[in-house]
Amino acid sequence: MHLHLKIWRQKNGDQPGKFVSYELPEVDEGSSFLEMLDIMNEQMVSKGEEPVAFDHDCREGICGMCSLVINGEAHGPQRATTACQLHMRHFKDGDTITIEPWRAKAFPVVKDLVVDRTAFDKVIQAGGFITARTGSAQDANEVPIPKPVADKAMDAAACIGCGACVAACPNGSAMLFTSAKAGHLNLLPQGKAEKDERTLKMVEAMDKAGFGNCTNYGECQAVCPKEITLDFIAKMNRDYATARVRKFFSKAC
Amino acid sequence: MELNSNIPEGPMAQKWSTHKTKIKLVNPANRRKYHVIVVGSGLAGASAAASLAEMGYQVSCFCYQDSPRRAHSIAAQGGINAAKNYQNDGDSVHRLFYDTVKGGDFRSREANVHRLAEVSVNIIDQMVAQGVPFAREYGGLLDNRSFGGAQVSRTFYARGQTGQQLLLGAYQQLSKQIGLGAVKMYNRHEMLELVLVNGHAKGIITRNLVTGKIERWAGDTVVLATGGYGNVFFLSTNAQGCNVTAAYRAYKKGAGFANPCYTQIHPTCIPVHGEQQSKLTLMSESLRNDGRIWAPKSKEAAAKLRKGELKASDIAEEDRDYYLERKYPSFGNLAPRDISSRAAKEACDEGRGVASTGLGVFLDFRDAIKRLGKDVIAERYGNLFDMYQCITGDNPYETPMMIYPAVHYTMGGLWVDYNLESNIPGLFVAGEANFSDHGANRLGASALMQGLADGYFVLPYTLGNYLGEEGIASAGKIKSDHPAFDAAEKAVRDRIDKFLSIKGDESPRSFHQRLGKIMWDKCGMAREKSELQQAIKDIQALRKEFWSRVRVLGEGTELNQELERAGRVADFLEFGELLCRDALMREESCGGHFRVEHQSMSEDEDVKSGLVSEGEAKRDDEHFAFAGVWEYQGDDVEPKLNKELLTYEVVHMATRSYK
């Protein structure tokens, strides 16, 4: 198939960027979206033009590194699919495809389609863990966890940390990401001891990193490649409120 | 090269516990005086960095990705083995040990494998305590499944994302330590050189992938947890960035590289679709628990299937060849990876392959859906079925999947002793980057186990032994202004300048693709002497061409993915030759290494007695029961082979039979 591409080019974070058009005459419909970009880059190298930088690694939808806004949608038109798992058979011969990086205040552009997502790491570093010193664990079957609870925790833990939720949100909010991790850990009995502290610290880190507030647009859920649902945001709001109240009264006495 | 495996004395089952009581410790108050460099943030790297920081060491951790959470351990789907015997089906540390030694085709180091089986139980406890949401039964206890050739159910799993959940567990522990300031994390940094001072590993040189800045890092010890080298084949199930550079740089500084020819070809990957493909996608072999693998019995039917004139459902039961069930009745579809992969190749070589390329066989769930219902199958494999449909456009609930083997894991790696220390003092190697535990073939669900064993439960002890032996007076003594750093940094800068100055006409990616084709065609699933010799010549010629024709656009002082790839491909172009040399030297077939000259023939005793079939891998224990450890001798000079002889005290060498 023949494609017209409009791609965001930006030399680095200090300089302004712009859309540049490219023609791609021959792409196999069995190719993945990133393979299509590989082909385009090879074509550019052969012409002596500097290829487009984009983040990618596993190319099987699990590492969360790829981060493209395709025709205005984070990860493109297919539901529950990362850009690397999107295949060209979902496009038509002669299509014009617009490709941009994640756009969010907390994710500054590094170059072309590459952004800096260390803000996510900061949120996890603030409290997205269960303290379990190596070697100190009890037997794994000591605490039974009902299957529905374990399954729900797994639903949240499936988050790949790609940042599509932030890119899609008009507010640039990271509530879906943060609530998925907090929800995963807060649901489990192992995570109970640090639950309040975790929730407060993760939310604080999230705000500090420059992510916006949640106003229930729900765009995050719509683009999430792992179909993480808004009810984790509701759960985190609940956990946050109780943590604040408990903290207030523990201080009072 | 001196290769002392440092295996502790005493009975096998007591070696590790005795060793732990004898090795040196570092006083808690002194640990903060030592700086440990960890390269790589996958299961082995993240767990080592987190545990060492918890103990009080100063740790710096480096990864090339934008976050440590993205390391390729994340892509492991199926599960992790542990000898918990929660299913009361007769599992034990001894049995896991035995299966792993046998599965590795008697080419691993027995004492290391025993330790791995021992600590496997601690890993599960540790990961559950961290909140890894493993699959559970309705009663709330952990669920297990049988996996990849095991006759007990010892595999723990988290849907089809076990690697992801374990990696995120380790990443969270690492993140906690980063938050506390105990680990300094350097994302988007690539190690380009190892620095030796007086023969000891004392630092690394990195390139900041965003700014291009070349930096020096001095430490008291260096841990390489940089994964495997499967991408030497260009097409593999590895992530795009996976590379051999860190390990190969260490090799060029004198570290022994062991058994590079032991590469694992995974039987259940999605077949290649065409020339533009950039990677192969694996589907968990847990699919083999319920799926039945077959090819049509007749070539004619296969030809029609390839052209689309027939559908799989048109082939009658009696015209299907369930070849694994036929050849290996007791293991059937769960036969080990190397055996299953070669059997698929054989069927395709006979002209019975399906998929448009003729390189594919069926993995059929028809009978399982009939037996268990669609809901049960969806519960077990739903995400894998979705992934398959997403990539191929076919619905596996209705039409059988097509699969073909692909390069997946590399058992070879830098040589290490029992302490995971290479022959360069102070250089430790963990996870897939080392060679020790899987021998010539890795069993399913053992890679996650090994990465975490090394990082959580081995290095925290053995690294202290090295530091303890060096003494507290040595702590932090080597600084990055030492002349050894000048030389190493200069080498890195010169190499980058060289890439940028060639200004040729062919991209690094194109060279990589050409190298991959040589490797797969001549050193892939079946290897033969003259082909290997030709491969070595072809690679040498390609390497020469690379250094005169490669085109690296852009600059060194910015984010430059072409430059990154050029560096990795340049190392693959040398390493590929080493891999072929190793394959040529190893005149036997074992595990993932199959030499067509060495296969069982109809006149062999084992074939006559029915122990193995004709055409199976034939080991030569008399001449090849050793780890082949290569020593660098200079550019374009043949490397020197050293041998670590392998002895088996407990599991006696026997022909592997899965009939």
PDB file of all heavy atoms in Angstrom, chain B residues 29 40 102 181 185 210 215 232 246 288 319 342 362 364 460 483 493 522 547 551 557 584 627:
ATOM      1  N   ALA B  29      28.515  -1.762  58.718  1.00  0.00           N
ATOM      2  CA  ALA B  29      28.964  -0.365  58.771  1.00  0.00           C
ATOM      3  C   ALA B  29      29.925  -0.035  57.632  1.00  0.00           C
ATOM      4  O   ALA B  29      30.091   1.125  57.257  1.00  0.00           O
ATOM      5  CB  ALA B  29      29.633  -0.079  60.104  1.00  0.00           C
ATOM      6  N   GLY B  40      22.288  -3.107  33.653  1.00  0.00           N
ATOM      7  CA  GLY B  40      21.095  -3.879  33.306  1.00  0.00           C
ATOM      8  C   GLY B  40      20.093  -3.824  34.439  1.00  0.00           C
ATOM      9  O   GLY B  40      20.470  -3.819  35.616  1.00  0.00           O
ATOM     10  N   LYS B 102      19.253 -32.677  33.403  1.00  0.00           N
ATOM     11  CA  LYS B 102      18.924 -33.536  32.256  1.00  0.00           C
ATOM     12  C   LYS B 102      18.440 -32.672  31.084  1.00  0.00           C
ATOM     13  O   LYS B 102      18.883 -32.849  29.947  1.00  0.00           O
ATOM     14  CB  LYS B 102      17.839 -34.534  32.668  1.00  0.00           C
ATOM     15  CG  LYS B 102      17.427 -35.477  31.559  1.00  0.00           C
ATOM     16  CD  LYS B 102      16.243 -36.352  31.997  1.00  0.00           C
ATOM     17  CE  LYS B 102      15.653 -37.064  30.781  1.00  0.00           C
ATOM     18  NZ  LYS B 102      14.275 -37.501  30.981  1.00  0.00           N
ATOM     19  N   GLY B 181      17.369   6.979  47.851  1.00  0.00           N
ATOM     20  CA  GLY B 181      18.704   7.487  47.520  1.00  0.00           C
ATOM     21  C   GLY B 181      19.790   6.438  47.636  1.00  0.00           C
ATOM     22  O   GLY B 181      20.976   6.733  47.486  1.00  0.00           O
ATOM     23  N   MET B 185      19.995   5.698  39.786  1.00  0.00           N
ATOM     24  CA  MET B 185      19.561   5.039  38.555  1.00  0.00           C
ATOM     25  C   MET B 185      19.889   5.907  37.358  1.00  0.00           C
ATOM     26  O   MET B 185      19.604   7.109  37.364  1.00  0.00           O
ATOM     27  CB  MET B 185      18.049   4.800  38.633  1.00  0.00           C
ATOM     28  CG  MET B 185      17.487   4.002  37.476  1.00  0.00           C
ATOM     29  SD  MET B 185      17.981   2.254  37.523  1.00  0.00           S
ATOM     30  CE  MET B 185      18.251   1.942  35.770  1.00  0.00           C
ATOM     31  N   VAL B 210      20.735  10.338  25.449  1.00  0.00           N
ATOM     32  CA  VAL B 210      19.997  11.566  25.120  1.00  0.00           C
ATOM     33  C   VAL B 210      20.952  12.685  24.706  1.00  0.00           C
ATOM     34  O   VAL B 210      20.737  13.354  23.702  1.00  0.00           O
ATOM     35  CB  VAL B 210      19.125  12.023  26.304  1.00  0.00           C
ATOM     36  CG1 VAL B 210      18.450  13.357  25.986  1.00  0.00           C
ATOM     37  CG2 VAL B 210      18.075  10.971  26.620  1.00  0.00           C
ATOM     38  N   GLU B 215      30.670   9.190  29.694  1.00  0.00           N
ATOM     39  CA  GLU B 215      30.962   9.362  31.124  1.00  0.00           C
ATOM     40  C   GLU B 215      31.720   8.168  31.698  1.00  0.00           C
ATOM     41  O   GLU B 215      31.593   7.041  31.215  1.00  0.00           O
ATOM     42  CB  GLU B 215      29.646   9.554  31.891  1.00  0.00           C
ATOM     43  CG  GLU B 215      29.018  10.917  31.661  1.00  0.00           C
ATOM     44  CD  GLU B 215      27.581  10.985  32.182  1.00  0.00           C
ATOM     45  OE1 GLU B 215      26.711  10.352  31.577  1.00  0.00           O
ATOM     46  OE2 GLU B 215      27.353  11.656  33.190  1.00  0.00           O
ATOM     47  N   VAL B 232      21.702 -11.476  17.497  1.00  0.00           N
ATOM     48  CA  VAL B 232      22.731 -11.692  16.473  1.00  0.00           C
ATOM     49  C   VAL B 232      22.076 -12.309  15.229  1.00  0.00           C
ATOM     50  O   VAL B 232      22.571 -12.188  14.121  1.00  0.00           O
ATOM     51  CB  VAL B 232      23.890 -12.573  17.021  1.00  0.00           C
ATOM     52  CG1 VAL B 232      23.429 -14.000  17.275  1.00  0.00           C
ATOM     53  CG2 VAL B 232      25.082 -12.563  16.078  1.00  0.00           C
ATOM     54  N   ALA B 246      27.782  -5.133  26.001  1.00  0.00           N
ATOM     55  CA  ALA B 246      28.433  -5.116  27.316  1.00  0.00           C
ATOM     56  C   ALA B 246      29.249  -6.389  27.533  1.00  0.00           C
ATOM     57  O   ALA B 246      30.414  -6.344  27.937  1.00  0.00           O
ATOM     58  CB  ALA B 246      27.389  -4.947  28.411  1.00  0.00           C
ATOM     59  N   ARG B 288       1.036 -25.387  24.742  1.00  0.00           N
ATOM     60  CA  ARG B 288       1.228 -26.805  24.416  1.00  0.00           C
ATOM     61  C   ARG B 288       0.575 -27.730  25.444  1.00  0.00           C
ATOM     62  O   ARG B 288       0.490 -28.928  25.232  1.00  0.00           O
ATOM     63  CB  ARG B 288       2.725 -27.129  24.293  1.00  0.00           C
ATOM     64  CG  ARG B 288       3.382 -26.430  23.115  1.00  0.00           C
ATOM     65  CD  ARG B 288       4.667 -27.148  22.717  1.00  0.00           C
ATOM     66  NE  ARG B 288       5.820 -26.745  23.486  1.00  0.00           N
ATOM     67  CZ  ARG B 288       6.839 -27.531  23.774  1.00  0.00           C
ATOM     68  NH1 ARG B 288       6.838 -28.794  23.416  1.00  0.00           N
ATOM     69  NH2 ARG B 288       7.873 -27.067  24.450  1.00  0.00           N
ATOM     70  N   ASP B 319      -5.661 -38.019   8.368  1.00  0.00           N
ATOM     71  CA  ASP B 319      -4.641 -37.429   7.497  1.00  0.00           C
ATOM     72  C   ASP B 319      -3.748 -36.442   8.234  1.00  0.00           C
ATOM     73  O   ASP B 319      -2.922 -35.757   7.641  1.00  0.00           O
ATOM     74  CB  ASP B 319      -5.314 -36.722   6.306  1.00  0.00           C
ATOM     75  CG  ASP B 319      -6.056 -37.708   5.431  1.00  0.00           C
ATOM     76  OD1 ASP B 319      -5.569 -38.851   5.314  1.00  0.00           O
ATOM     77  OD2 ASP B 319      -7.125 -37.348   4.899  1.00  0.00           O
ATOM     78  N   ARG B 342      13.044 -28.883  16.468  1.00  0.00           N
ATOM     79  CA  ARG B 342      13.623 -29.642  15.360  1.00  0.00           C
ATOM     80  C   ARG B 342      12.578 -30.503  14.663  1.00  0.00           C
ATOM     81  O   ARG B 342      12.602 -30.662  13.445  1.00  0.00           O
ATOM     82  CB  ARG B 342      14.785 -30.509  15.854  1.00  0.00           C
ATOM     83  CG  ARG B 342      16.124 -29.789  15.762  1.00  0.00           C
ATOM     84  CD  ARG B 342      17.280 -30.743  15.818  1.00  0.00           C
ATOM     85  NE  ARG B 342      17.239 -31.590  16.987  1.00  0.00           N
ATOM     86  CZ  ARG B 342      17.637 -31.206  18.200  1.00  0.00           C
ATOM     87  NH1 ARG B 342      18.116 -29.995  18.391  1.00  0.00           N
ATOM     88  NH2 ARG B 342      17.579 -32.015  19.216  1.00  0.00           N
ATOM     89  N   PHE B 362       0.671 -26.616  12.545  1.00  0.00           N
ATOM     90  CA  PHE B 362      -0.539 -26.216  13.280  1.00  0.00           C
ATOM     91  C   PHE B 362      -0.412 -26.482  14.782  1.00  0.00           C
ATOM     92  O   PHE B 362       0.204 -27.466  15.207  1.00  0.00           O
ATOM     93  CB  PHE B 362      -1.754 -26.987  12.751  1.00  0.00           C
ATOM     94  CG  PHE B 362      -2.188 -26.546  11.377  1.00  0.00           C
ATOM     95  CD1 PHE B 362      -2.207 -27.448  10.318  1.00  0.00           C
ATOM     96  CD2 PHE B 362      -2.579 -25.225  11.147  1.00  0.00           C
ATOM     97  CE1 PHE B 362      -2.606 -27.044   9.048  1.00  0.00           C
ATOM     98  CE2 PHE B 362      -2.992 -24.817   9.881  1.00  0.00           C
ATOM     99  CZ  PHE B 362      -2.996 -25.722   8.829  1.00  0.00           C
ATOM    100  N   ASP B 364      -3.320 -26.811  17.475  1.00  0.00           N
ATOM    101  CA  ASP B 364      -4.773 -26.910  17.323  1.00  0.00           C
ATOM    102  C   ASP B 364      -5.474 -27.056  18.679  1.00  0.00           C
ATOM    103  O   ASP B 364      -5.147 -27.944  19.458  1.00  0.00           O
ATOM    104  CB  ASP B 364      -5.049 -28.155  16.453  1.00  0.00           C
ATOM    105  CG  ASP B 364      -6.412 -28.101  15.817  1.00  0.00           C
ATOM    106  OD1 ASP B 364      -7.287 -27.405  16.356  1.00  0.00           O
ATOM    107  OD2 ASP B 364      -6.603 -28.776  14.785  1.00  0.00           O
ATOM    108  N   PRO B 460      24.067 -11.249  46.463  1.00  0.00           N
ATOM    109  CA  PRO B 460      24.223 -10.554  47.746  1.00  0.00           C
ATOM    110  C   PRO B 460      25.231 -11.243  48.682  1.00  0.00           C
ATOM    111  O   PRO B 460      25.854 -10.603  49.519  1.00  0.00           O
ATOM    112  CB  PRO B 460      22.815 -10.577  48.337  1.00  0.00           C
ATOM    113  CG  PRO B 460      21.930 -10.596  47.140  1.00  0.00           C
ATOM    114  CD  PRO B 460      22.653 -11.470  46.151  1.00  0.00           C
ATOM    115  N   PRO B 483      44.469   6.431  35.052  1.00  0.00           N
ATOM    116  CA  PRO B 483      44.808   6.368  33.619  1.00  0.00           C
ATOM    117  C   PRO B 483      44.034   5.300  32.839  1.00  0.00           C
ATOM    118  O   PRO B 483      43.786   5.466  31.641  1.00  0.00           O
ATOM    119  CB  PRO B 483      46.308   6.040  33.619  1.00  0.00           C
ATOM    120  CG  PRO B 483      46.810   6.378  34.967  1.00  0.00           C
ATOM    121  CD  PRO B 483      45.668   6.398  35.915  1.00  0.00           C
ATOM    122  N   ARG B 493      35.442   6.960  22.404  1.00  0.00           N
ATOM    123  CA  ARG B 493      35.311   8.154  21.548  1.00  0.00           C
ATOM    124  C   ARG B 493      35.801   7.886  20.127  1.00  0.00           C
ATOM    125  O   ARG B 493      35.165   8.285  19.155  1.00  0.00           O
ATOM    126  CB  ARG B 493      36.111   9.324  22.140  1.00  0.00           C
ATOM    127  CG  ARG B 493      35.471   9.912  23.366  1.00  0.00           C
ATOM    128  CD  ARG B 493      36.232  11.142  23.867  1.00  0.00           C
ATOM    129  NE  ARG B 493      35.680  11.615  25.109  1.00  0.00           N
ATOM    130  CZ  ARG B 493      34.561  12.350  25.193  1.00  0.00           C
ATOM    131  NH1 ARG B 493      33.915  12.706  24.105  1.00  0.00           N
ATOM    132  NH2 ARG B 493      34.097  12.719  26.371  1.00  0.00           N
ATOM    133  N   LYS B 522      22.972 -20.583   8.142  1.00  0.00           N
ATOM    134  CA  LYS B 522      24.134 -21.474   8.262  1.00  0.00           C
ATOM    135  C   LYS B 522      24.450 -21.901   9.692  1.00  0.00           C
ATOM    136  O   LYS B 522      25.257 -22.792   9.906  1.00  0.00           O
ATOM    137  CB  LYS B 522      25.367 -20.796   7.651  1.00  0.00           C
ATOM    138  CG  LYS B 522      25.173 -20.456   6.171  1.00  0.00           C
ATOM    139  CD  LYS B 522      26.495 -20.103   5.509  1.00  0.00           C
ATOM    140  CE  LYS B 522      26.385 -20.079   4.004  1.00  0.00           C
ATOM    141  NZ  LYS B 522      25.673 -18.916   3.463  1.00  0.00           N
ATOM    142  N   TRP B 547      32.699  -1.847   7.860  1.00  0.00           N
ATOM    143  CA  TRP B 547      33.622  -0.789   8.284  1.00  0.00           C
ATOM    144  C   TRP B 547      34.030   0.158   7.157  1.00  0.00           C
ATOM    145  O   TRP B 547      34.686   1.158   7.386  1.00  0.00           O
ATOM    146  CB  TRP B 547      34.860  -1.387   8.963  1.00  0.00           C
ATOM    147  CG  TRP B 547      34.548  -1.839  10.359  1.00  0.00           C
ATOM    148  CD1 TRP B 547      34.411  -3.129  10.799  1.00  0.00           C
ATOM    149  CD2 TRP B 547      34.286  -1.009  11.508  1.00  0.00           C
ATOM    150  NE1 TRP B 547      34.076  -3.148  12.132  1.00  0.00           N
ATOM    151  CE2 TRP B 547      34.014  -1.871  12.598  1.00  0.00           C
ATOM    152  CE3 TRP B 547      34.259   0.377  11.722  1.00  0.00           C
ATOM    153  CZ2 TRP B 547      33.710  -1.394  13.880  1.00  0.00           C
ATOM    154  CZ3 TRP B 547      33.967   0.855  12.997  1.00  0.00           C
ATOM    155  CH2 TRP B 547      33.694  -0.023  14.052  1.00  0.00           C
ATOM    156  N   ARG B 551      26.643   3.675   6.918  1.00  0.00           N
ATOM    157  CA  ARG B 551      26.261   5.084   6.893  1.00  0.00           C
ATOM    158  C   ARG B 551      25.539   5.399   8.194  1.00  0.00           C
ATOM    159  O   ARG B 551      24.457   4.888   8.448  1.00  0.00           O
ATOM    160  CB  ARG B 551      25.322   5.317   5.716  1.00  0.00           C
ATOM    161  CG  ARG B 551      24.742   6.710   5.669  1.00  0.00           C
ATOM    162  CD  ARG B 551      23.847   6.851   4.451  1.00  0.00           C
ATOM    163  NE  ARG B 551      24.117   8.080   3.747  1.00  0.00           N
ATOM    164  CZ  ARG B 551      23.688   8.342   2.523  1.00  0.00           C
ATOM    165  NH1 ARG B 551      23.004   7.440   1.867  1.00  0.00           N
ATOM    166  NH2 ARG B 551      23.951   9.491   1.962  1.00  0.00           N
ATOM    167  N   THR B 557      26.540  13.833  19.539  1.00  0.00           N
ATOM    168  CA  THR B 557      26.199  14.615  20.730  1.00  0.00           C
ATOM    169  C   THR B 557      24.701  14.831  20.877  1.00  0.00           C
ATOM    170  O   THR B 557      24.253  15.859  21.344  1.00  0.00           O
ATOM    171  CB  THR B 557      26.871  15.995  20.649  1.00  0.00           C
ATOM    172  OG1 THR B 557      26.533  16.564  19.371  1.00  0.00           O
ATOM    173  CG2 THR B 557      28.376  15.892  20.775  1.00  0.00           C
ATOM    174  N   LEU B 584      31.307 -24.824  15.276  1.00  0.00           N
ATOM    175  CA  LEU B 584      32.191 -25.645  14.455  1.00  0.00           C
ATOM    176  C   LEU B 584      33.056 -26.549  15.331  1.00  0.00           C
ATOM    177  O   LEU B 584      33.271 -27.728  15.039  1.00  0.00           O
ATOM    178  CB  LEU B 584      33.082 -24.710  13.625  1.00  0.00           C
ATOM    179  CG  LEU B 584      34.029 -25.310  12.606  1.00  0.00           C
ATOM    180  CD1 LEU B 584      33.235 -26.061  11.538  1.00  0.00           C
ATOM    181  CD2 LEU B 584      34.873 -24.206  11.962  1.00  0.00           C
ATOM    182  N   ALA B 627      32.680 -27.137  29.133  1.00  0.00           N
ATOM    183  CA  ALA B 627      32.213 -25.836  28.682  1.00  0.00           C
ATOM    184  C   ALA B 627      33.338 -25.256  27.832  1.00  0.00           C
ATOM    185  O   ALA B 627      34.489 -25.227  28.262  1.00  0.00           O
ATOM    186  CB  ALA B 627      31.927 -24.936  29.873  1.00  0.00           C
TER     187      ALA B 627
END
